[in-house]
Amino acid sequence: MLTQTSPMLADGTKIADLVLPATREVQMRVLSDPEIYELEMERIFGKIWNFLGHESEIPNSGDFVVRDMGSDQVIISRDKAGEVHVMLNVCPHRGMRVSVLDGGNTQIHKCIYHGWAFRPNGDFIGAPVEKECMHGKMMCKEELGLKKARVTLYGGLIFATWNIEGPSFEDFLGDAKWYYDMLFKRSDRGLEVLGPPQRFVVRANWKAAGEQSAADGFHTLTLHRWLGEVGNYAKKNEDGTSADLSPEMYGVEISSPHGHALRCIDLARKISRLTGLDPKELSVQQKLDALPPAGMHKDMVEQLARNLSPEQLQVLTTMPPQVGGIFPNVLFGFVYIPQPDGSVLGSLTLHAYVPRGPDKLEFVNWILAEKDAPQELRERILKQTIQLFGTSGMVEQDDSDTWPHITLSAKGAMGKKQTLKYQAVYETGAPEGWPGPGMVNEGFTKDDTQWHWWMYWRELMTSEV
């Protein structure tokens, strides 16, 4: 039974007790319990800003794609004025899905059941045989449109929420926006998608992937240890053994009270190894020229100063954000990929872990490129990002193998009583002279970013409805 004053599950467990602040533990039942899952659809996905795609997926009037906000399917469309709209894909007449396609182009969304028709902005047009007034006279046409979400575009990314009077998108991002701007709003013309997103289903609870996206760097040492052993990623010691990946675990991590997270990784090592230059002797501009941000061509570097502050450029050339997440279910990767010829290629990817039930998620992967990037660079980014971070990519084969095992463990009679532990705590604070906002710590990666992800989950799940 759920009440506004004391949220409680059917067995008497308080939702607040699923996350234990004193010991930084989370009960494993949260990764399998159907009752918890249903509450998440209402209290998290029904309230916060959901990432749905990129506006370059619907460039023309009448273009639309169908996506999901938690357990609800929505239509994302562009109208004749160029505005982007997000509408519940449920016909208000008999509940049929208005669109049964993944996407397309139309100026009229028509339900196949009884023919009710809607404009790209969701407004009701009418029903067949208009003289018979088959939509009735009890409600006016203005009341019979598709349910509309509140929409915002951020660097071309489409976000929407059902919480029409709730916090603004900027409030939702908070201090994390300062860092996200370095990724999504760094160039004059911005980013665009390289084709439709890849999609596949994983038999796992969405939070197993979602909390990892909150900047879990530690798993790279073991789950992705091949990065130091094979191919262009191999680093060999003088005796021929594989080099230790642990130096890559040092950097700066940014936490957020809203569960957003970023891992900022030292750029000096890459500049030294790839160019032979001493980063300490280089200016900000010289560092940008020596190693442009991941995904940018050297000819685009001049755009950075027009779109970012000097303080942001300082971070971008020392500890640039490379991986992290946007609460609750988005992972981004703007990473440097070493090439056989000693050069570096950037990879730009966004993952969404869309809930499909207590033990199922849909992995959706967008690959991005700068609109101003040369075609040859875009093709290389697409190819290498698919190989690494695509639905069959080398990295994602590792990650997507663990989530089902974790979900199965959480179903066990004894397993669901165990706890996830986030007890590796930063004791450092921000580096001296760090210009950016937020909860900032430096050093070897710890559990703080993921723990703050769970604390915001707890806050939303226990808030009054």
Side-chain angles (χ1 to χ4, degrees), residues 301-364:
V301 167
E302 64 176 4
Q303 298 183 23
L304 294 169
R306 293 198 290 268
N307 294 284
L308 302 177
S309 69
E311 293 76 18
Q312 288 172 314
L313 290 177
Q314 176 187 333
V315 170
L316 202 61
T317 54
T318 53
M319 291 280 182
Q322 294 187 41
V323 293
I326 301 174
F327 187 90
N329 65 331
V330 176
L331 176 141
F332 61 82
F334 283 58
V335 300
Y336 297 89
I337 305 176
Q339 301 297 294
D341 62 2
S343 64
V344 169
L345 180 70
S347 173
L348 287 63
T349 186
L350 278 170
H351 301 336
Y353 308 113
V354 181
R356 285 283 182 262
D359 58 359
K360 186 186 297 185
L361 67 87
E362 184 177 30
F363 181 116
V364 187

Coordinates of all heavy atoms in Angstrom, one line a residue, residues 301-364:
V301 N 38.6 23.9 -34.1 CA 39.0 24.3 -32.7 C 38.6 25.8 -32.5 O 38.3 26.1 -31.3 CB 40.5 24.1 -32.6 CG1 41.0 24.8 -31.3 CG2 40.8 22.6 -32.5
E302 N 38.7 26.6 -33.5 CA 38.5 28.1 -33.3 C 37.0 28.3 -32.8 O 36.8 29.3 -32.2 CB 38.7 28.8 -34.6 CG 37.8 28.4 -35.7 CD 38.0 29.3 -36.9 OE1 38.9 30.1 -36.9 OE2 37.2 29.1 -37.9
Q303 N 36.1 27.4 -33.1 CA 34.7 27.6 -32.6 C 34.6 27.5 -31.1 O 33.6 28.0 -30.5 CB 33.8 26.5 -33.3 CG 33.8 26.6 -34.8 CD 32.8 25.6 -35.4 OE1 31.9 25.1 -34.7 NE2 33.1 25.2 -36.7
L304 N 35.5 26.8 -30.5 CA 35.4 26.5 -29.0 C 35.3 27.9 -28.2 O 34.5 28.0 -27.3 CB 36.5 25.7 -28.5 CG 36.5 24.2 -29.1 CD1 37.8 23.5 -28.7 CD2 35.3 23.4 -28.5
A305 N 36.2 28.8 -28.6 CA 36.3 30.0 -27.8 C 35.0 30.9 -28.0 O 34.7 31.7 -27.2 CB 37.5 30.8 -28.3
R306 N 34.3 30.7 -29.1 CA 33.0 31.4 -29.3 C 31.9 30.8 -28.5 O 30.8 31.5 -28.3 CB 32.7 31.4 -30.8 CG 33.6 32.2 -31.7 CD 33.0 32.5 -33.0 NE 32.8 31.3 -33.9 CZ 33.7 30.9 -34.7 NH1 34.9 31.5 -34.9 NH2 33.5 29.8 -35.5
N307 N 32.0 29.6 -28.1 CA 30.9 28.9 -27.4 C 31.1 28.6 -26.0 O 30.1 28.3 -25.2 CB 30.5 27.7 -28.2 CG 30.0 27.9 -29.6 OD1 28.9 28.4 -29.8 ND2 30.8 27.7 -30.6
L308 N 32.4 28.6 -25.5 CA 32.7 28.2 -24.2 C 33.5 29.3 -23.5 O 34.1 30.1 -24.1 CB 33.5 26.9 -24.2 CG 32.9 25.7 -24.8 CD1 33.9 24.5 -24.8 CD2 31.6 25.3 -24.2
S309 N 33.4 29.3 -22.2 CA 34.1 30.3 -21.4 C 35.6 29.9 -21.2 O 36.0 28.7 -21.4 CB 33.5 30.4 -20.0 OG 33.8 29.2 -19.2
P310 N 36.5 30.8 -20.9 CA 37.9 30.5 -20.6 C 38.0 29.4 -19.6 O 38.9 28.5 -19.7 CB 38.5 31.8 -20.1 CG 37.6 32.9 -20.8 CD 36.3 32.3 -20.8
E311 N 37.2 29.4 -18.6 CA 37.2 28.4 -17.5 C 36.9 27.0 -18.1 O 37.5 26.0 -17.7 CB 36.3 28.8 -16.4 CG 36.7 30.0 -15.6 CD 36.4 31.3 -16.3 OE1 35.6 31.3 -17.2 OE2 37.0 32.3 -15.9
Q312 N 35.9 27.0 -18.9 CA 35.5 25.7 -19.6 C 36.6 25.2 -20.5 O 36.9 24.0 -20.5 CB 34.2 25.8 -20.3 CG 33.0 26.0 -19.4 CD 31.7 26.3 -20.2 OE1 31.8 27.2 -21.1 NE2 30.6 25.7 -19.9
L313 N 37.3 26.1 -21.2 CA 38.4 25.7 -22.0 C 39.6 25.2 -21.2 O 40.3 24.3 -21.6 CB 38.9 26.9 -22.9 CG 37.9 27.3 -24.0 CD1 38.4 28.6 -24.7 CD2 37.7 26.2 -25.0
Q314 N 39.7 25.7 -20.0 CA 40.8 25.2 -19.1 C 40.5 23.8 -18.8 O 41.5 22.9 -18.8 CB 40.8 26.1 -17.9 CG 41.8 25.6 -16.8 CD 41.7 26.4 -15.5 OE1 41.3 27.5 -15.5 NE2 42.1 25.7 -14.4
V315 N 39.3 23.5 -18.4 CA 39.0 22.1 -18.1 C 39.1 21.2 -19.3 O 39.6 20.1 -19.2 CB 37.5 22.0 -17.5 CG1 37.1 20.6 -17.3 CG2 37.5 22.7 -16.1
L316 N 38.6 21.7 -20.4 CA 38.6 20.9 -21.7 C 40.1 20.5 -22.1 O 40.2 19.5 -22.8 CB 38.0 21.7 -22.8 CG 37.4 20.9 -24.0 CD1 36.3 19.9 -23.5 CD2 36.8 21.9 -25.0
T317 N 41.1 21.3 -21.7 CA 42.4 21.0 -22.0 C 43.3 20.4 -20.9 O 44.5 20.2 -21.1 CB 43.1 22.3 -22.6 OG1 43.0 23.3 -21.6 CG2 42.5 22.7 -23.9
T318 N 42.6 20.1 -19.8 CA 43.4 19.5 -18.7 C 42.7 18.2 -18.3 O 43.3 17.1 -18.4 CB 43.5 20.4 -17.5 OG1 42.1 20.9 -17.1 CG2 44.4 21.6 -17.8
M319 N 41.4 18.3 -17.8 CA 40.7 17.1 -17.4 C 39.3 17.1 -18.1 O 38.3 17.4 -17.5 CB 40.5 17.1 -15.9 CG 41.7 16.9 -15.1 SD 42.1 15.1 -15.0 CE 43.5 15.2 -13.9
P320 N 39.3 16.9 -19.4 CA 38.0 17.0 -20.1 C 37.0 15.9 -19.7 O 37.4 14.7 -19.5 CB 38.4 16.8 -21.6 CG 39.6 16.0 -21.5 CD 40.4 16.5 -20.3
P321 N 35.7 16.2 -19.6 CA 34.7 15.2 -19.4 C 34.6 14.2 -20.6 O 34.5 14.7 -21.7 CB 33.4 16.0 -19.2 CG 33.6 17.3 -19.9 CD 35.1 17.6 -19.7
Q322 N 34.7 12.9 -20.3 CA 34.7 11.9 -21.4 C 33.6 10.9 -21.2 O 33.1 10.5 -22.3 CB 36.1 11.2 -21.4 CG 37.2 12.2 -21.8 CD 38.5 11.4 -22.0 OE1 38.6 10.4 -22.6 NE2 39.6 12.0 -21.6
V323 N 33.3 10.5 -20.0 CA 32.1 9.6 -19.9 C 31.3 10.0 -18.7 O 31.8 10.7 -17.8 CB 32.6 8.1 -19.6 CG1 33.3 7.6 -20.9 CG2 33.6 8.0 -18.5
G324 N 30.1 9.6 -18.6 CA 29.2 10.0 -17.5 C 27.8 9.7 -17.9 O 27.5 9.0 -18.8
G325 N 26.9 10.3 -17.1 CA 25.5 10.0 -17.3 C 24.6 11.2 -17.0 O 24.9 12.1 -16.2
I326 N 23.4 11.1 -17.5 CA 22.3 12.0 -17.2 C 21.2 11.2 -16.5 O 20.7 10.2 -17.1 CB 21.7 12.8 -18.4 CG1 22.9 13.6 -19.1 CG2 20.6 13.7 -18.0 CD1 22.4 14.2 -20.4
F327 N 20.8 11.5 -15.3 CA 19.8 10.7 -14.6 C 18.5 10.7 -15.3 O 18.1 11.8 -15.9 CB 19.6 11.3 -13.2 CG 18.7 10.5 -12.3 CD1 19.2 9.6 -11.5 CD2 17.3 10.7 -12.3 CE1 18.4 8.8 -10.6 CE2 16.5 10.0 -11.5 CZ 17.0 9.0 -10.7
P328 N 17.8 9.6 -15.4 CA 18.1 8.4 -14.7 C 18.7 7.3 -15.6 O 19.3 6.3 -15.0 CB 16.7 7.9 -14.3 CG 15.8 8.3 -15.4 CD 16.4 9.6 -15.9
N329 N 18.7 7.4 -16.9 CA 19.0 6.2 -17.7 C 19.8 6.5 -19.0 O 19.7 5.8 -20.0 CB 17.7 5.5 -18.1 CG 16.9 6.4 -19.1 OD1 16.9 7.6 -19.0 ND2 16.1 5.8 -19.9
V330 N 20.7 7.6 -18.9 CA 21.4 8.0 -20.1 C 22.9 7.9 -19.8 O 23.4 8.4 -18.7 CB 21.1 9.4 -20.5 CG1 22.0 9.9 -21.7 CG2 19.6 9.5 -20.9
L331 N 23.7 7.3 -20.7 CA 25.1 7.3 -20.6 C 25.7 8.0 -21.8 O 25.1 7.9 -22.9 CB 25.7 5.9 -20.6 CG 27.2 5.8 -20.6 CD1 27.7 4.7 -19.7 CD2 27.8 5.6 -22.1
F332 N 26.7 8.9 -21.7 CA 27.4 9.5 -22.8 C 28.8 9.1 -22.8 O 29.4 8.9 -21.7 CB 27.2 11.0 -22.8 CG 27.7 11.7 -21.6 CD1 29.1 12.0 -21.5 CD2 26.9 12.1 -20.5 CE1 29.6 12.7 -20.4 CE2 27.4 12.7 -19.4 CZ 28.8 13.0 -19.4
G333 N 29.4 9.1 -24.0 CA 30.8 8.8 -24.1 C 31.4 9.7 -25.2 O 31.0 9.6 -26.3
F334 N 32.3 10.6 -24.8 CA 33.1 11.4 -25.7 C 34.5 11.1 -25.5 O 35.2 11.8 -24.8 CB 32.8 12.9 -25.5 CG 31.5 13.4 -26.0 CD1 30.3 12.9 -25.6 CD2 31.4 14.5 -26.9 CE1 29.0 13.3 -26.1 CE2 30.2 14.9 -27.4 CZ 29.0 14.3 -27.0
V335 N 35.0 10.0 -26.1 CA 36.2 9.4 -25.7 C 37.2 9.4 -26.9 O 36.8 9.5 -28.1 CB 36.1 8.0 -25.2 CG1 35.2 7.9 -24.0 CG2 35.5 7.1 -26.3
Y336 N 38.5 9.3 -26.6 CA 39.6 9.3 -27.5 C 39.9 7.8 -27.8 O 40.2 7.1 -26.9 CB 40.8 10.0 -27.0 CG 40.6 11.5 -26.7 CD1 40.2 11.9 -25.5 CD2 40.9 12.4 -27.7 CE1 40.0 13.3 -25.2 CE2 40.7 13.8 -27.4 CZ 40.3 14.2 -26.2 OH 40.1 15.5 -25.9
I337 N 40.0 7.5 -29.1 CA 40.3 6.1 -29.5 C 41.6 6.1 -30.3 O 41.8 6.7 -31.3 CB 39.2 5.6 -30.5 CG1 37.8 5.6 -29.8 CG2 39.5 4.1 -30.8 CD1 36.7 5.2 -30.7
P338 N 42.6 5.4 -29.7 CA 43.9 5.4 -30.4 C 43.8 4.6 -31.7 O 43.1 3.6 -31.8 CB 44.8 4.7 -29.4 CG 43.9 4.0 -28.5 CD 42.6 4.7 -28.4
Q339 N 44.6 5.1 -32.7 CA 44.6 4.5 -34.0 C 45.9 3.8 -34.3 O 46.9 4.1 -33.7 CB 44.3 5.6 -35.1 CG 43.0 6.3 -34.9 CD 41.8 5.4 -35.0 OE1 41.5 4.9 -36.1 NE2 41.1 5.3 -33.9
P340 N 45.9 2.9 -35.3 CA 47.2 2.2 -35.6 C 48.3 3.1 -36.0 O 49.5 2.8 -35.8 CB 46.8 1.3 -36.8 CG 45.3 1.1 -36.7 CD 44.8 2.4 -36.1
D341 N 48.0 4.2 -36.6 CA 49.1 5.1 -37.0 C 49.6 6.1 -35.9 O 50.4 7.0 -36.2 CB 48.7 6.0 -38.3 CG 47.5 6.9 -38.0 OD1 47.0 6.9 -36.8 OD2 47.0 7.5 -38.9
G342 N 49.1 5.9 -34.7 CA 49.5 6.7 -33.6 C 48.6 7.9 -33.4 O 48.8 8.7 -32.4
S343 N 47.7 8.2 -34.3 CA 46.8 9.3 -34.1 C 45.6 8.9 -33.2 O 45.5 7.8 -32.7 CB 46.3 9.8 -35.5 OG 45.5 8.7 -36.1
V344 N 44.7 9.9 -33.0 CA 43.6 9.6 -32.1 C 42.3 10.0 -32.9 O 42.2 11.0 -33.6 CB 43.7 10.5 -30.8 CG1 42.4 10.4 -30.1 CG2 44.8 9.9 -30.0
L345 N 41.3 9.2 -32.7 CA 39.9 9.5 -33.2 C 38.9 9.6 -32.1 O 39.0 8.8 -31.1 CB 39.5 8.3 -34.2 CG 38.1 8.4 -34.8 CD1 38.2 9.6 -35.9 CD2 37.7 7.1 -35.5
G346 N 38.0 10.5 -32.2 CA 37.0 10.7 -31.2 C 35.8 9.8 -31.4 O 35.4 9.6 -32.6
S347 N 35.2 9.4 -30.4 CA 33.9 8.6 -30.5 C 32.9 9.4 -29.7 O 33.1 9.7 -28.5 CB 34.1 7.2 -29.9 OG 32.9 6.5 -29.9
L348 N 31.7 9.6 -30.3 CA 30.6 10.4 -29.6 C 29.4 9.5 -29.6 O 28.8 9.1 -30.7 CB 30.3 11.7 -30.4 CG 31.3 12.8 -30.3 CD1 32.7 12.5 -30.8 CD2 30.7 14.1 -31.0
T349 N 29.0 9.1 -28.4 CA 27.9 8.1 -28.3 C 27.0 8.5 -27.2 O 27.4 9.0 -26.2 CB 28.4 6.7 -28.2 OG1 27.3 5.8 -28.3 CG2 29.1 6.5 -26.9
L350 N 25.7 8.2 -27.3 CA 24.7 8.3 -26.2 C 23.9 7.0 -26.1 O 23.4 6.5 -27.1 CB 23.7 9.5 -26.5 CG 24.2 10.9 -26.2 CD1 23.2 11.9 -26.8 CD2 24.2 11.1 -24.7
H351 N 23.8 6.5 -24.9 CA 23.0 5.3 -24.7 C 21.8 5.7 -23.8 O 21.9 6.5 -22.9 CB 23.8 4.2 -23.9 CG 25.0 3.7 -24.6 ND1 25.2 3.8 -25.9 CD2 26.1 3.1 -24.1 CE1 26.4 3.2 -26.2 NE2 26.9 2.8 -25.1
A352 N 20.6 5.1 -24.1 CA 19.5 5.2 -23.2 C 19.1 3.8 -22.8 O 19.0 2.9 -23.7 CB 18.3 5.9 -23.8
Y353 N 18.9 3.5 -21.5 CA 18.4 2.2 -21.0 C 16.9 2.3 -20.7 O 16.6 2.7 -19.6 CB 19.3 1.8 -19.8 CG 20.8 1.9 -20.1 CD1 21.5 2.8 -19.4 CD2 21.4 1.1 -21.0 CE1 22.9 2.9 -19.6 CE2 22.7 1.2 -21.3 CZ 23.5 2.1 -20.6 OH 24.8 2.2 -20.8
V354 N 16.1 2.0 -21.7 CA 14.7 2.2 -21.6 C 14.0 1.0 -20.9 O 14.2 -0.2 -21.3 CB 14.1 2.3 -23.0 CG1 12.6 2.5 -22.9 CG2 14.8 3.4 -23.8
P355 N 13.3 1.3 -19.8 CA 12.6 0.2 -19.1 C 11.6 -0.6 -19.9 O 10.8 0.0 -20.7 CB 11.9 0.9 -17.9 CG 12.6 2.2 -17.8 CD 13.0 2.6 -19.2
R356 N 11.7 -1.9 -19.8 CA 10.7 -2.7 -20.5 C 10.0 -3.7 -19.6 O 9.4 -4.7 -20.0 CB 11.4 -3.5 -21.7 CG 11.8 -2.6 -22.9 CD 10.5 -2.4 -23.7 NE 10.8 -1.6 -24.9 CZ 10.6 -0.3 -25.0 NH1 10.1 0.4 -24.0 NH2 10.9 0.3 -26.1
G357 N 10.2 -3.5 -18.3 CA 9.7 -4.4 -17.3 C 10.7 -4.6 -16.2 O 11.8 -4.1 -16.3
P358 N 10.3 -5.3 -15.1 CA 11.3 -5.4 -14.0 C 12.6 -6.1 -14.3 O 13.6 -5.9 -13.7 CB 10.5 -6.2 -13.0 CG 9.0 -6.0 -13.3 CD 9.0 -5.9 -14.8
D359 N 12.5 -6.9 -15.4 CA 13.8 -7.7 -15.7 C 14.1 -7.6 -17.2 O 14.6 -8.5 -17.8 CB 13.6 -9.2 -15.4 CG 12.4 -9.9 -16.0 OD1 11.7 -9.2 -16.8 OD2 12.2 -11.1 -15.8
K360 N 13.7 -6.4 -17.8 CA 14.0 -6.2 -19.2 C 14.2 -4.7 -19.5 O 13.5 -3.9 -19.0 CB 12.9 -6.8 -20.1 CG 13.1 -6.7 -21.6 CD 11.9 -7.1 -22.4 CE 11.5 -8.5 -22.1 NZ 10.3 -8.9 -23.0
L361 N 15.3 -4.5 -20.3 CA 15.5 -3.1 -20.8 C 15.8 -3.1 -22.3 O 16.3 -4.1 -22.8 CB 16.7 -2.4 -20.0 CG 18.1 -3.0 -20.2 CD1 18.8 -2.4 -21.4 CD2 18.9 -2.8 -18.9
E362 N 15.5 -2.0 -22.9 CA 15.9 -1.8 -24.3 C 17.1 -0.9 -24.3 O 17.1 0.3 -23.8 CB 14.8 -1.3 -25.2 CG 15.2 -1.2 -26.6 CD 14.1 -0.7 -27.6 OE1 13.3 0.1 -27.1 OE2 14.1 -1.1 -28.7
F363 N 18.2 -1.3 -24.9 CA 19.4 -0.6 -25.1 C 19.3 0.2 -26.4 O 19.2 -0.4 -27.4 CB 20.6 -1.5 -25.1 CG 22.0 -0.9 -25.2 CD1 22.9 -1.0 -24.2 CD2 22.4 -0.2 -26.4 CE1 24.2 -0.5 -24.3 CE2 23.6 0.3 -26.5 CZ 24.5 0.2 -25.5
V364 N 19.3 1.5 -26.3 CA 19.2 2.4 -27.5 C 20.5 3.2 -27.6 O 20.9 3.9 -26.6 CB 18.0 3.3 -27.4 CG1 17.8 4.1 -28.7 CG2 16.7 2.5 -27.1

